[in-house]
């Protein structure tokens, strides 16, 4: 992509801030409609929170968003349009559960808890799924108990409604897996609304018929790369963090490290936490400004350990592991489709990610491999390759997967999430109306924002 120096302002009808999936989808739709558009990206790459890495063996692994699943129709269509190759996530075999340091295995959706614990977990899941259905997807604030739910945390609800240690541990793990945050950090209303947008707790946590069902052979960053190539080098400017957006009666001036643009409309397609770091003239309305201050990103470090073979499959294991102890508490099989070698993908989540963020790669590798060895035995102790991505330390992401809203934020500021501010429109998966926090949500938000701009341009 083109990198240019400072100079006289350039012109475009629309400037898109951020070359992640949402911004690129918006730009693609605008360009297809004949609108002059430029995308300004702070990084030296496109893709945002999708990041595909080539290992020393030449394999592609996803260090960012990795899966799509049922009802994610926009992403499914986009992947097909771009000629990319999907395959199913491996899930055959026994799953590992580490609870209180004791290892057990199970094959069903419900972990192998004690009889009382399993009943308690089943009841907990049923209760959550029932509450999810009470949140209208179009307007979460219209839920009968919206104020009550937004005034408490998932942790407080858990302490009141979940009785056994095992069921509590499994709910904690599910929350960390979906939100990369601790239950104490989440508004109950936000938790339920997020699940509602994706089809419920089971869909978001499962592989089969769930959000982790399908992978991409080329890696999901390739989606953004191909969209960017289709837009052309003149439309995507890298190394261009936007510092200021100034509106006036005639249009907008967008100032970046790579130059200044004059345009009619702007789409800011970065998370609210990053959007709030831009200087706006005039300043943002109070509610939007408060939203950007109260929507931190989740905390996750994603790691991939590669092995000569998927030895766990040969021993009858699926490669999945859940734990309530250790640094890595969630693991999936990350081997290529042909199984020519093995790979395990693990997640440091929530407080564990914050504890490990900024430490050396060697320290993180040791912590990760220790966890993998505990789950799958000594064969996991010596990977032939290891790589990870410290998302909380990533300057232009500040975390992953998405924003985390605590008590009171939705009821006070939900209306500011998508509402344009003059000539400035908002995209990014955080603003999605379905599948918030996922690639599907990013695409939906990009489409919605581009439609707003096309309507405004007439």
């Amino acid at each position: 992509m083109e990198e240019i120096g400072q100079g006289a302002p350039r012109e475009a009808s629309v400037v898109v801030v951020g070359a992640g999936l949402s911004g690129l989808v918006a730009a693609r739709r605008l360009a297809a409609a004949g609108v002059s558009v430029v995308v300004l990206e702070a990084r030296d790459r496109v893709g945002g929170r999708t990041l595909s890495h080539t290992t020393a063996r030449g394999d592609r692994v996803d260090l960012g968003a990795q899966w799509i699943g049922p009802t994610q129709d926009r992403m499914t269509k986009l992947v097909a349009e771009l000629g990319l190759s999907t395959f199913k996530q491996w899930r055959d075999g026994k799953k590992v559960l580490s609870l209180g340091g004791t290892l057990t295995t199970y094959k069903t959706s419900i972990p192998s808890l004690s009889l009382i614990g399993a009943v308690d977990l089943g009841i907990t899941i049923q209760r959550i799924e029932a509450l999810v259905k009470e949140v209208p997807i179009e307007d979460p604030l219209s839920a009968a108990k919206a104020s009550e739910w937004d005034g408490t945390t998932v942790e407080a609800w858990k302490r009141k409604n979940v009785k056994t240690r095992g069921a509590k541990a499994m709910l904690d793990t599910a929350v960390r897996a979906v939100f990369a945050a601790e239950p104490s950090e989440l508004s109950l209303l936000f938790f339920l609304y997020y699940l509602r947008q994706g089809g419920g707790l089971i869909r978001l946590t499962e592989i089969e018929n769930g959000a982790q069902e399908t992978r991409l052979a080329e890696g999901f960053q390739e989606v953004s790369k191909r969209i960017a190539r289709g837009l052309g080098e003149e439309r995507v400017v890298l190394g261009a963090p936007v510092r200021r957006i100034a509106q006036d009666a005639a249009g907008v001036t967008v100032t970046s490290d790579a130059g200044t643009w004059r345009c009619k409309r702007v789409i800011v397609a970065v998370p609210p936490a990053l959007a709030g770091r831009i200087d706006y003239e005039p300043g943002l309305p109070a509610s939007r400004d408060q939203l950007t201050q109260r929507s931190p990103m989740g905390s996750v470090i994603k790691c991939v350990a590669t092995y000569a073979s998927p030895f766990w499959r040969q021993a009858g294991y699926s490669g999945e592991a859940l734990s309530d102890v250790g640094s890595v508490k969630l693991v999936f099989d990350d081997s290529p489709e042909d199984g020519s070698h093995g790979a395990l993908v693990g997640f440091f989540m929530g407080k564990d990610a914050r504890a490990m963020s900024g430490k050396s790669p060697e320290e993180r590798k040791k912590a990760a491999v220790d966890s993998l060895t505990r789950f799958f035995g000594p064969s996991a102790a010596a990977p032939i390759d290891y790589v990870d991505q410290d998302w909380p330390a990533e300057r232009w992401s500040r975390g992953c997967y998405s924003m985390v809203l605590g008590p009171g934020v939705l009821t006070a500021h939900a209306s500011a999430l998508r509402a344009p501010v003059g000539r400035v429109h908002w995209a990014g998966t955080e603003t999605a109306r379905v599948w918030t926090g996922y690639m599907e949500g990013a695409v939906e938000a990009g489409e919605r924002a581009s439609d707003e701009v096309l309507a405004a341009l007439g």
Side-chain angles (χ1 to χ4, degrees):
M1 302 305 114
E2 182 184 17
E3 297 186 35
I4 65 173
Q6 297 285 352
R10 295 191 173 192
E11 292 189 359
S13 293
V14 180
V15 169
V16 176
V17 180
L21 189 55
S22 196
L24 290 170
V25 165
R28 184 183 191 226
R29 284 167 64 87
L30 292 169
V35 174
S36 170
V37 60
V38 64
V39 183
L40 303 180
E41 168 56 45
R43 297 178 176 89
D44 61 358
R45 64 171 180 84
V46 300
R49 284 164 277 172
T50 59
L51 177 60
S52 302
H53 170 78
T54 302
T55 69
R57 293 175 54 96
D59 305 314
R60 298 292 282 173
V61 296
D62 276 317
L63 296 178
Q66 177 165 355
W67 294 283
I68 57 176
T71 78
Q72 297 185 4
D73 300 328
R74 293 172 180 84
M75 272 303 295
T76 300
K77 179 182 177 183
L78 184 57
V79 163
E81 283 179 4
L82 296 173
L84 297 168
S85 306
T86 61
F87 65 99
K88 297 297 184 182
Q89 168 68 34
W90 180 270
R91 63 180 185 84
D92 295 344
K94 298 177 290 186
K95 307 172 189 179
V96 175
L97 173 66
S98 173
L99 189 60
T102 300
L103 291 179
T104 57
T105 62
Y106 65 104
K107 285 191 173 183
T108 62
S109 296
I110 302 296
S112 52
L113 305 177
S114 66
L115 177 59
I116 295 175
V119 171
D120 189 25
L121 180 59
I123 292 172
T124 297
I125 292 172
Q126 290 177 357
R127 284 176 174 171
I128 290 173
E129 298 287 27
L131 293 178
V132 165
K133 293 177 182 177
E134 294 184 31
V135 181
I137 196 168
E138 302 84 6
D139 180 16
L141 301 188
S142 66
K145 295 184 178 180
S147 295
E148 176 186 337
W149 290 340
D150 204 32
T152 191
T153 64
V154 176
E155 176 69 22
W157 183 90
K158 180 191 75 177
R159 292 183 179 184
K160 182 178 179 180
N161 293 277
V162 188
K163 308 304 180 185
T164 61
R165 176 189 173 185
K168 289 178 179 178
M170 291 303 96
L171 179 57
D172 288 347
T173 301
V175 169
R176 294 180 187 122
V178 174
F179 295 90
E182 300 298 319
S184 59
E185 298 168 336
L186 292 172
S187 149
L188 180 60
L189 179 62
F190 174 67
F191 170 76
L192 297 173
Y193 179 47
Y194 195 101
L195 299 184
R196 179 75 169 87
Q197 288 184 306
L201 180 62
I202 295 299
R203 173 154 283 170
L204 266 61
T205 55
E206 282 293 303
I207 293 177
E208 185 178 16
N209 199 36
Q212 287 70 233
E213 186 174 72
T214 302
R215 293 173 58 191
L216 198 61
E218 299 86 352
F220 273 101
Q221 190 184 1
E222 187 65 21
V223 176
S224 293
K225 289 181 176 180
R226 294 194 182 188
I227 294 175
R229 284 199 293 269
L231 286 168
E233 292 187 357
E234 72 283 356
R235 289 198 182 105
V236 182
V237 183
L238 302 180
V242 169
R243 306 299 184 178
R244 192 167 191 266
I245 297 174
Q247 302 187 58
D248 55 48
V252 190
T253 301
V254 180
T255 305
S256 80
D257 288 3
T260 301
W261 274 260
R262 280 289 292 177
C263 60
K264 297 176 181 177
R265 295 273 161 174
V266 176
I267 296 175
V268 177
V270 299
L274 292 179
R277 288 176 162 87
I278 299 172
D279 179 32
Y280 297 87
E281 178 60 42
L284 293 176
S287 188
R288 174 70 197 185
D289 189 54
Q290 285 286 306
L291 174 67
T292 67
Q293 297 179 49
R294 301 185 185 191
S295 53
M297 300 295 287
S299 301
V300 65
I301 299 171
K302 188 175 182 183
C303 60
V304 179
T306 302
Y307 300 89
S309 68
F311 60 86
W312 52 92
R313 295 185 185 180
Q314 298 153 16
Y317 290 86
S318 69
E320 295 170 68
L322 293 174
S323 179
D324 68 339
V325 297
S327 294
V328 171
K329 293 184 170 70
L330 178 66
V331 180
F332 292 95
D333 186 307
D334 201 40
S335 309
E337 183 178 14
D338 62 7
S340 57
H341 63 274
L344 293 167
V345 56
F347 298 82
F348 301 83
M349 304 172 294
K351 63 183 180 182
D352 297 315
R354 291 191 288 272
M356 295 301 294
S357 181
K359 292 187 180 295
S360 70
E362 291 75 20
E363 289 178 283
R364 294 197 299 269
K365 177 181 178 180
K366 182 181 185 307
V369 172
D370 284 350
S371 292
L372 296 177
T373 302
R374 187 161 53 83
F375 299 146
F376 300 108
S379 296
I384 58 177
D385 189 60
Y386 173 90
V387 64
D388 65 27
Q389 177 67 15
D390 184 355
W391 285 104
E394 223 297 324
R395 182 181 182 186
W396 303 115
S397 294
R398 302 287 180 172
C400 240
Y401 321 109
S402 186
M403 68 180 181
V404 174
L405 298 187
V409 180
L410 263 182
T411 49
H413 305 297
S415 61
L417 189 57
R418 288 183 286 271
V421 176
R423 297 172 181 268
V424 179
H425 303 257
W426 312 104
T429 188
E430 289 77 15
T431 71
R433 296 170 294 192
V434 293
W435 282 103
T436 290
Y438 291 77
M439 290 181 283
E440 176 74 9
V443 175
E444 190 275 337
E447 292 177 350
R448 186 235 340 126
S450 61
D451 288 345
E452 289 176 2
V453 168
L454 288 172
L457 294 175

